[in-house]
Amino acid sequence: PHALRPASRVIGYARVSTEEQALHGVSIETQVSRINAYCEAMDLELLRVEIDPGVSGAIPMERRPGFSRVFSTLRTHQADGVIAVKIDRYSRRIRDFLDLVELAEKEHWCLISLSENLDTCTAAGRCTLTILCALSQMEREQIGERVFQAMAHIARQGRARSRWIPFGWRLVGLPDALEVPKGNRDKLVPFGPEQKILDELLELRRQGLGPRRIASKLNAQGSINPRQQRPWGPNSIQAILRSDARRHEVHG
């Protein structure tokens, strides 16, 4: 990445939600005090500190009044960087913060976070950033694993894994429903008319036909997609086959 010149003029940023202030004493005043002390110790010119009191870290940065003013100052080259006491003052999500880092690199300004000893315009700061990227990747993978395990558990119970009922199945007592009613936890049961079509799709796939050729063959026979009440398309064939394959992965 392009090596940026260390910041000399910075704009501070402080944020707190009312809940954080009440529970943990993370006050705006404390953050401003730390930012001032750091800038004095590091001989940085602190232009001012923008604040977002009572604003959740889940709100996108560009929609916060204080941080919008930070963006404006940086993009008009009035400051070389922005400084906050902790990464979670910028955002609660590491992924959002890394997106901000990418923007800073593109626009050639620095991001500083005191608690993590992070300054994206220094070698040590970029080392810290590399670690954060690795942690973010691990977090995404762990979330994916948890979602897969949760969906597999639901499927093993014989329930639908999403709001849409898979082709070839219905909920007990609801033969016409194609969506799972809110709060419904009933198991799926085979639906004869669609199971017959599903068996035909699987047989054609075993014969080596792909979704496009399967759709053409079914349409030539005068068959229609019973859910859409129109001719078969390769995308719908592929979706049905993938759903069935995932079901077999879970049940073995």
Side-chain angles (χ1 to χ4, degrees):
H2 177 70
L4 300 179
R5 181 172 55 85
S8 58
R9 300 170 304 156
V10 296
I11 182 168
Y13 178 68
R15 180 194 62 78
V16 68
S17 67
T18 53
E19 181 182 0
E20 286 175 324
Q21 191 163 7
L23 295 179
H24 307 294
V26 187
S27 70
I28 291 288
E29 291 77 11
T30 299
Q31 294 175 59
V32 172
S33 177
R34 289 187 60 187
I35 290 171
N36 273 292
Y38 179 85
C39 290
E40 184 175 349
M42 301 301 292
D43 197 25
L44 296 175
E45 180 185 355
L46 179 62
L47 302 177
R48 66 184 186 278
V49 179
E50 294 288 358
I51 64 173
D52 274 321
V55 176
S56 168
I59 295 176
M61 286 170 271
E62 64 275 10
R63 287 172 48 193
R64 305 177 202 162
F67 207 85
S68 292
R69 293 190 291 272
V70 171
F71 270 137
S72 178
T73 301
L74 293 167
R75 286 171 169 170
T76 53
H77 309 292
Q78 298 175 56
D80 308 311
V82 55
I83 178 172
V85 299
K86 200 173 182 181
I87 283 176
D88 65 11
R89 298 304 89 193
Y90 293 113
S91 177
R92 285 291 189 186
R93 297 177 65 242
I94 290 180
R95 181 65 262 168
D96 289 344
F97 177 73
L98 294 178
D99 288 342
L100 182 64
V101 170
E102 185 177 343
L103 178 65
E105 290 182 350
K106 180 181 178 180
E107 298 185 352
H108 303 292
W109 41 270
C110 305
L111 269 167
I112 302 170
S113 180
L114 304 186
S115 296
E116 292 84 6
N117 193 29
L118 171 66
D119 182 341
T120 62
C121 291
T122 67
R126 287 190 289 274
C127 179
T128 302
L129 186 59
T130 300
I131 296 172
L132 287 175
C133 289
L135 290 174
S136 178
Q137 177 65 27
M138 183 178 69
E139 180 184 39
R140 287 196 299 272
E141 292 177 357
Q142 288 177 335
I143 290 173
E145 289 173 357
R146 288 196 293 269
V147 170
F148 176 81
Q149 291 168 0
M151 292 298 99
H153 176 68
I154 289 172
R156 283 193 293 269
Q157 292 179 327
R159 295 159 49 206
R161 296 186 297 181
S162 71
R163 59 180 286 199
W164 301 108
I165 297 173
F167 191 89
W169 302 84
R170 290 293 190 275
L171 290 170
V172 176
L174 296 172
D176 297 325
L178 300 181
E179 294 184 52
V180 179
K182 187 175 180 180
N184 186 292
R185 299 177 63 85
D186 290 340
K187 292 185 178 181
L188 297 171
V189 293
F191 181 63
E194 287 185 359
Q195 283 287 328
K196 183 178 179 181
I197 297 173
L198 180 58
D199 288 342
E200 185 176 3
L201 296 181
L202 295 173
E203 177 57 32
L204 291 173
R205 185 182 63 178
R206 280 192 289 269
Q207 293 175 16
L209 276 66
R212 190 172 298 278
R213 292 178 62 193
I214 292 175
S216 296
K217 188 174 182 64
L218 292 178
N219 291 332
Q221 296 173 354
S223 173
I224 64 169
N225 185 328
R227 293 211 174 179
Q228 300 175 351
Q229 292 300 309
R230 62 187 185 190
W232 289 96
N235 289 339
S236 57
I237 297 286
Q238 188 173 46
I240 291 171
L241 293 175
R242 282 179 176 172
S243 177
D244 185 72
R246 287 195 298 267
R247 187 174 182 83
H248 281 285
E249 284 177 6
V250 171
H251 292 284

